[in-house]
């Protein structure tokens, strides 16, 4: 059951697709105050678990932390940070002692909203927003027999916010990316190097260097003289190119995107009516006002420039939006520095000097300097960006998703974004942003996957190996061994870091062995992905969502249930030869060895230690379940479903429902495309 409560005049965010009648009063056991902004309080006991919040720092259990939903361009994902790139205001409050009392809340609010989950007071959840204009949804479990309350709550919420984006099959292949591939020769070298080592590969990303002077929807002809011919040639080899698109439009006379935007008033404005100016990669830029339908149509149709060159996938970046500086903000900082006496900087004046410089980027003051033209209650109104900040990346990707559906009629396009809000999951996936080559970030991704799934983001994954800092061989192999299970499997790194393509390290056969496991599992992973999107289920679940009576599972955050069949248990500690795994029930251990052979053995419930060499993948299949695999191949175009075999509890009575389609057309048929395997 879903109850909707409204306070003030909520902004229409487009997060929800299902109409819910407004309820009177407030949720039971909750204190709400709207006298000075919006505040929400409820009591929790010492055993209460809090799930949700999508992309955020912290564990699967969100207790004892502060979180802030405010899409942030911050590559340093350290434990004290409160915001990342997404804003996903959904929490589940779970009482292990009385699951029938479980409930969830979605705070549909597009500005900054803070979540204090037992941080200030150990027995209290406190949520605060500066404005009182909010739509609050309470989701209560349907308590019919045999319904799991936690899974049912997620199901109801996912139905409320709409079906998740469905990627093409080729998007499940391994993807290589790096900021620093500057020319066609660089890209060709990546392909040829993977080919030489016989490591499977499906796509290569183009970062900002493919553009002419970092201008959206342009191609530097000196670096990529014939992009269409190059793209078409790579596709004959099973490789797709996936270019980046940024939010800022370069201010440059003669640049058609800029000139059209100015002529038609498509850019965000300052209060005085002038176009807002912000510095990003190209220097001074304007931001398209994606809150306007006609702007979304105009910008989204620009993707056709690249689809006409054979491009079938994109990643949207810098769409929080990221701001290096604003024209006004930079002037203020320069003036402040001029007025400072720098002849003898002491402890106070030095930090004042440093803070003046640091505050230039992604400044709250800058987010308050510009406005959107929005339609609310059938009226066009000017809205300050700060108040709806979290909707910017959502609407950029909505722009692309809507128009690519028109441009590529009947065909799926790969699309994923950095910034997001709930609702954007209907148009594209996400990657989890500019992480680092840290073991803690591998562990963070594992914990983030079920939380993202709860909020509808199924096509997701992290930059494998880490974007910033320098990866090493062990970390990359361990990260790949987890990444083979995530829908988005991309190795990506930053300019100036160590080259971390798989062929850059010793004993490349070890990388080949791990990535080949991915390709052997694609029929299963793709099938579970489609089921999750269409049936509003979780692809990744915490153990506690499945083994509800086992209190040990409430504490385990480095093991996940994938689909209904598999338990994964990545190794995410440096220099570890293996790890201890807890089995809540008897299971079948599956080991993919480096030579391609597979070992299976039954394992009893309880704690076990598993040895996991760097070139092997180990996971578990639940009793009475089976998992399909195929032979290894070099890319998804060469997947051979005729080679299907079955792993797990194969006894003639257990079966698996495999979803199989052409991987391209947008129509999803859950009847005729289902094959029962046994």
């Amino acid at each position: 059951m879903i109850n909707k409560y409204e306070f003030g005049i909520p902004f229409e965010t487009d997060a929800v697709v299902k109409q819910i009648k407004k309820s009177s009063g407030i949720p039971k056991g909750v204190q709400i105050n709207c006298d000075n902004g919006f505040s929400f309080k409820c009591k929790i006991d010492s055993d209460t678990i809090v799930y949700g919040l999508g992309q955020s720092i912290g564990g699967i259990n969100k207790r004892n932390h502060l979180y802030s939903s405010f899409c942030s361009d911050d590559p340093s994902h350290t434990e004290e940070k409160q915001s990342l790139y997404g804003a996903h205001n959904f929490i589940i409050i779970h009482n292990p002692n009385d699951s029938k009392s479980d409930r969830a809340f979605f705070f549909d609010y597009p500005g900054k909203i803070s979540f204090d989950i037992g941080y200030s007071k150990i027995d209290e959840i406190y949520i605060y927003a500066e404005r009182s204009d909010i739509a609050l949804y309470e989701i209560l479990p349907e308590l019919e027999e045999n319904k799991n309350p936690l899974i049912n709550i997620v199901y109801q919420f996912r139905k409320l916010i709409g079906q998740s984006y469905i990627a093409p099959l080729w998007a499940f292949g391994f993807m290589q990316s790096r900021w620093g591939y500057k020319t066609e020769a660089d890209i060709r070298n990546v392909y040829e190097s993977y080919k030489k080592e016989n490591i499977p590969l499906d796509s290569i990303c183009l970062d900002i260097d493919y553009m002419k002077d970092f201008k959206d929807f342009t191609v530097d002809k000196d670096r990529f003289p014939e992009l269409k011919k190059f793209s078409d040639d790579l596709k004959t080899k099973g490789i797709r190119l996936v270019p980046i698109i940024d939010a800022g439009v370069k201010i440059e006379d003669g640049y058609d995107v800029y000139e059209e935007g100015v002529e038609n008033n498509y850019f965000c404005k300052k209060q005085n009516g002038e176009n807002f100016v912000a510095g990003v990669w190209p220097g001074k830029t304007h931001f398209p006002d994606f809150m306007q339908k006609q702007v979304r149509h105009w910008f989204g149709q620009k993707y056709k420039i690249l689809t006409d060159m054979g491009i079938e996938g994109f990643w949207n970046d810098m769409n929080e939006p990221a701001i290096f500086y604003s024209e006004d903000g930079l002037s203020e900082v320069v003036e402040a520095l001029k007025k400072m006496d720098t002849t003898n900087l002491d402890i106070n004046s030095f930090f004042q000097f440093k803070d003046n410089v640091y505050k230039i980027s992604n400044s709250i003051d800058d987010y308050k300097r510009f406005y959107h033209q929005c339609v609310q209650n059938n009226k066009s109104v000017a809205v300050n960006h700060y108040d709806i900040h979290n909707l910017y990346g959502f609407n950029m990707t909505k722009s692309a998703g809507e128009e690519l559906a028109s441009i590529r009629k009947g065909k799926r396009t790969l699309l994923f974004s950095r910034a997001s809000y709930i609702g954007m999951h209907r148009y594209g996936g996400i990657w989890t942003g500019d992480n680092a080559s840290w073991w803690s970030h591998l562990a963070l991704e594992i914990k983030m996957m079920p939380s993202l799934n709860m909020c509808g983001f199924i096509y997701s994954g992290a930059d494998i190996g880490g974007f910033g800092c320098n990866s090493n061989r062990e970390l990359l192999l361990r990260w790949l061994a987890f990444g083979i299970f995530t829908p988005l499997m991309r190795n990506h790194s930053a300019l100036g870091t160590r080259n971390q393509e798989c062929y850059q390290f010793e004993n490349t056969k070890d990388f080949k062995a791990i990535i080949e496991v991915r390709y052997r599992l694609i029929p299963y992973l793709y099938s579970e992905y489609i089921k999750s999107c269409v049936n509003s289920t979780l692809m990744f679940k915490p153990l506690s969502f499945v083994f509800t009576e086992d209190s040990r599972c409430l504490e385990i955050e480095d093991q996940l249930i994938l689909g209904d069949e598999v338990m994964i248990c990545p190794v995410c500690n440096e220099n570890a030869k293996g790890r201890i795994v807890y089995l809540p029930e008897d299971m079948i251990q599956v080991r993919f060895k480096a030579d391609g052979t597979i070992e299976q053995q039954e394992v009893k419930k309880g704690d076990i230690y598993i040895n996991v060499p760097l070139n092997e993948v180990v996971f578990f299949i639940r009793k009475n379940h089976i998992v399909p695999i195929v032979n290894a191949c070099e890319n998804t175009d060469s997947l051979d479903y005729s080679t299907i075999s079955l792993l797990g509890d194969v006894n003639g009575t257990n079966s698996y429902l495999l979803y199989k389609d052409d991987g391209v057309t947008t129509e999803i048929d859950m009847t005729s495309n289902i094959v029962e395997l046994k």
Side-chain angles (χ1 to χ4, degrees):
M1 184 174 72
I2 300 177
N3 298 316
K4 178 183 179 182
Y5 304 91
E6 289 187 356
F7 305 93
I9 305 175
F11 189 90
E12 298 168 15
T13 65
D14 193 33
V16 167
V17 299
K18 186 177 179 181
Q19 294 300 314
I20 303 293
K21 185 179 179 181
K22 180 182 174 182
S23 301
S24 59
I26 62 174
K28 183 180 178 180
V30 170
Q31 297 178 41
I32 290 177
N33 189 308
C34 295
D35 292 339
N36 183 24
F38 171 87
S39 68
F40 169 107
K41 292 182 182 179
C42 72
K43 292 293 184 180
I44 52 176
D45 63 33
S46 58
D47 293 328
T48 299
I49 307 293
V50 180
Y51 299 108
L53 293 180
Q55 184 186 20
S56 56
I57 293 294
I60 294 175
N61 182 359
K62 299 301 178 184
R63 285 195 70 147
N64 301 322
H65 281 274
L66 292 172
Y67 307 90
S68 179
S69 279
F70 194 76
C71 299
S72 301
D73 171 28
D74 183 350
S76 183
H77 307 168
T78 47
E79 291 185 12
E80 84 281 4
K81 297 298 172 62
Q82 298 179 21
S83 301
L84 292 178
Y85 303 94
H88 308 139
N89 310 331
F90 173 71
I91 60 170
I92 301 174
I93 304 171
H94 171 53
N95 183 348
N97 303 313
D98 180 17
S99 62
K100 292 182 179 179
S101 68
D102 290 350
R103 58 177 170 169
F105 293 97
F106 170 47
F107 300 82
D108 193 4
Y109 179 80
K112 184 177 182 179
I113 181 168
S114 300
F115 294 80
D116 183 330
I117 313 293
Y119 174 81
S120 297
K121 296 183 178 180
I122 60 173
D123 64 346
E124 181 180 272
I125 293 174
Y126 175 72
I127 297 164
Y128 174 76
E130 295 174 14
R131 299 175 66 91
S132 59
D133 305 313
I134 193 166
L136 172 62
Y137 294 84
E138 178 189 33
I139 301 100
L140 303 172
E142 298 167 329
L143 297 177
E144 288 88 343
E145 189 177 357
N146 297 325
K147 284 193 175 179
N148 178 313
L150 289 170
I151 290 175
N152 177 254
I153 283 173
V154 172
Y155 171 81
Q156 290 187 72
F157 179 59
R158 295 269 300 282
K159 286 293 185 183
L160 176 69
I161 60 177
Q163 181 177 300
S164 299
Y165 157 81
I166 294 179
L169 175 62
W170 66 262
F172 281 74
F174 179 55
M175 187 182 304
Q176 180 60 57
S177 182
R178 180 174 172 84
W179 174 19
Y181 298 155
K182 296 181 181 297
T183 66
E184 178 181 315
D186 291 340
I187 300 296
R188 193 174 293 280
N189 178 65
V190 171
Y191 162 70
E192 291 175 349
S193 297
Y194 271 100
K195 182 73 171 177
K196 179 182 178 182
E197 301 298 334
N198 294 312
I199 301 174
L201 182 69
D202 256 88
S203 55
I204 303 172
C205 289
L206 303 178
D207 211 314
I208 55 177
D209 292 305
Y210 83 92
M211 303 178 191
K212 178 65 175 176
D213 301 326
F214 309 123
K215 292 181 290 190
D216 280 338
F217 310 113
T218 66
V219 177
D220 189 322
K221 295 296 180 64
D222 293 330
R223 298 179 175 188
F224 293 86
E226 295 184 79
L227 184 60
K228 176 170 174 46
K229 181 179 178 182
F230 182 47
S231 173
D232 290 345
D233 176 55
L234 286 178
K235 265 193 277 189
T236 66
K237 300 173 173 63
I239 304 295
R240 270 84 170 176
L241 295 177
V242 182
I244 195 171
I245 301 294
D246 288 329
V249 172
K250 180 178 173 64
I251 298 172
E252 179 180 280
D253 291 339
Y255 172 35
D256 59 343
V257 181
Y258 163 71
E259 291 186 340
E260 290 170 16
V262 170
E263 180 181 357
N264 293 286
N265 284 317
Y266 285 162
F267 295 126
C268 295
K269 307 285 186 183
K270 296 197 297 185
Q271 192 168 23
N272 64 7
E274 296 177 0
N275 289 325
F276 176 70
V277 179
V280 200
W281 298 118
K284 291 183 179 180
T285 67
H286 293 323
F287 290 141
D289 185 359
F290 292 115
M291 299 306 297
Q292 298 184 51
K293 184 175 181 179
Q294 64 269 33
V295 176
R296 291 197 301 272
H297 171 70
W298 163 73
F299 192 87
Q301 282 292 317
K302 294 295 180 184
Y303 286 78
K304 188 175 186 298
I305 294 170
L306 292 165
T307 60
D308 285 349
M309 298 182 191
I311 300 301
E312 299 177 10
F314 300 90
W315 48 307
N316 288 343
D317 196 11
M318 307 295 283
N319 53 354
E320 292 71 35
I323 298 177
F324 294 169
Y325 61 88
S326 76
E327 196 172 51
D328 294 336
L330 182 61
S331 296
E332 291 172 3
V333 169
V334 170
E335 287 303 311
L337 293 176
K338 285 179 179 178
K339 293 176 182 178
M340 290 191 69
D341 181 0
T342 59
T343 56
N344 184 25
L345 294 174
D346 60 16
I347 185 171
N348 294 316
S349 56
F350 170 73
F351 283 104
Q352 182 183 356
F353 176 88
K354 187 171 71 170
D355 289 346
N356 274 329
V357 176
Y358 279 4
K359 75 178 184 181
I360 293 177
S361 296
N362 301 313
S363 163
I364 294 295
D365 290 340
D366 283 341
Y367 289 135
K368 294 179 178 179
R369 296 184 202 271
F370 65 98
Y371 290 78
H372 299 273
Q373 203 65 31
C374 304
V375 175
Q376 294 287 288
N377 298 315
N378 298 316
K379 294 182 180 179
S380 182
V381 292
V383 179
N384 188 273
H385 171 82
Y386 175 76
D387 294 328
I388 56 171
H389 171 76
N390 293 331
L391 299 182
Y392 195 80
F394 168 10
N395 280 277
M396 179 187 180
T397 299
K398 180 180 179 181
S399 164
E402 287 179 331
E403 299 307 319
L404 283 165
S406 170
I407 293 166
R408 306 188 70 242
K409 289 182 176 62
K411 294 182 178 180
R412 297 178 226 165
T413 304
L414 172 60
L415 183 62
F416 57 100
S417 171
R418 191 168 75 175
S420 62
Y421 182 80
I422 287 175
M424 197 208 81
H425 70 284
R426 301 193 298 271
Y427 302 97
I430 63 171
W431 90 101
T432 55
D434 296 345
N435 60 2
S437 298
W438 301 341
W439 288 90
S440 62
H441 279 183
L442 167 56
L444 178 61
E445 184 194 5
I446 296 166
K447 297 170 185 177
M448 213 181 279
M449 293 306 295
S451 301
L452 287 169
N453 281 194
M454 292 174 200
C455 297
F457 293 95
I458 313 301
Y459 189 81
S460 54
D463 286 343
I464 291 172
F467 176 73
C469 305
N470 294 313
S471 188
N472 61 39
R473 185 176 185 275
E474 180 193 12
L475 176 58
L476 182 56
L477 280 165
R478 291 301 194 198
W479 211 319
L480 286 166
F482 172 66
I484 64 172
F485 297 105
T486 62
L488 172 57
M489 185 187 183
R490 180 175 77 151
N491 178 338
H492 183 46
S493 54
L495 184 70
T497 63
R498 178 182 188 176
N499 293 324
Q500 65 182 45
E501 297 86 1
C502 297
Y503 54 80
Q504 301 283 0
F505 297 91
E506 297 171 284
N507 301 325
T508 55
K509 288 183 179 180
D510 292 346
F511 294 89
K512 177 178 183 289
I514 299 294
I515 295 174
E516 282 186 342
V517 177
R518 164 62 165 220
Y519 281 79
R520 301 193 72 178
L521 286 169
I522 282 179
Y524 171 69
L525 297 171
Y526 180 70
S527 185
E528 290 306 306
Y529 167 75
I530 294 292
K531 293 174 190 176
S532 179
C533 292
V534 174
N535 298 330
S536 300
T537 57
L538 294 166
M539 186 171 176
F540 291 96
K541 293 184 280 284
L543 268 61
S544 57
F545 274 51
V546 177
F547 303 100
T548 55
E549 303 300 318
D550 189 334
S551 60
R552 278 281 302 275
C553 292
L554 294 169
E555 303 174 16
I556 295 174
E557 301 204 339
D558 60 353
Q559 300 173 212
L560 300 175
I561 299 297
L562 168 58
D564 291 325
E565 298 78 18
V566 170
M567 184 179 76
I568 57 176
C569 44
V571 176
C572 49
N573 290 319
E574 191 169 15
N575 297 317
K577 303 298 183 183
R579 58 162 294 173
I580 294 174
V581 177
Y582 175 67
L583 284 82
E585 62 183 9
D586 294 352
M587 293 186 181
I588 297 173
Q589 179 182 300
V590 179
R591 181 181 298 271
F592 280 82
K593 299 178 70 67
D595 61 4
T597 59
I598 302 171
E599 292 181 353
Q600 299 187 75
Q601 63 176 349
E602 293 189 14
V603 187
K604 295 296 183 182
K605 173 182 176 179
D607 293 302
I608 65 167
Y609 178 83
I610 56 171
N611 180 55
V612 187
L614 288 173
N615 56 9
E616 294 185 1
V617 174
V618 179
F619 61 86
F620 295 84
I621 298 178
R622 300 179 63 195
K623 293 297 291 289
N624 301 318
H625 291 81
I626 56 178
V627 169
I629 61 169
V630 292
N631 290 351
C633 56
E634 61 181 357
N635 51 53
T636 54
D637 287 351
S638 56
L639 275 174
D640 186 355
Y641 276 77
S642 71
T643 65
I644 278 182
S645 59
L646 301 174
L647 300 176
D649 200 352
V650 182
N651 58 19
T653 60
N654 298 319
S655 64
Y656 178 78
L657 297 179
L658 177 76
Y659 179 87
K660 178 181 178 296
D661 61 14
D662 64 7
V664 176
T665 55
T666 53
E667 182 179 353
I668 303 296
D669 187 337
M670 296 299 289
T671 302
S672 60
N673 289 334
I674 291 285
V675 178
E676 184 177 14
L677 304 175
K678 58 170 54 178

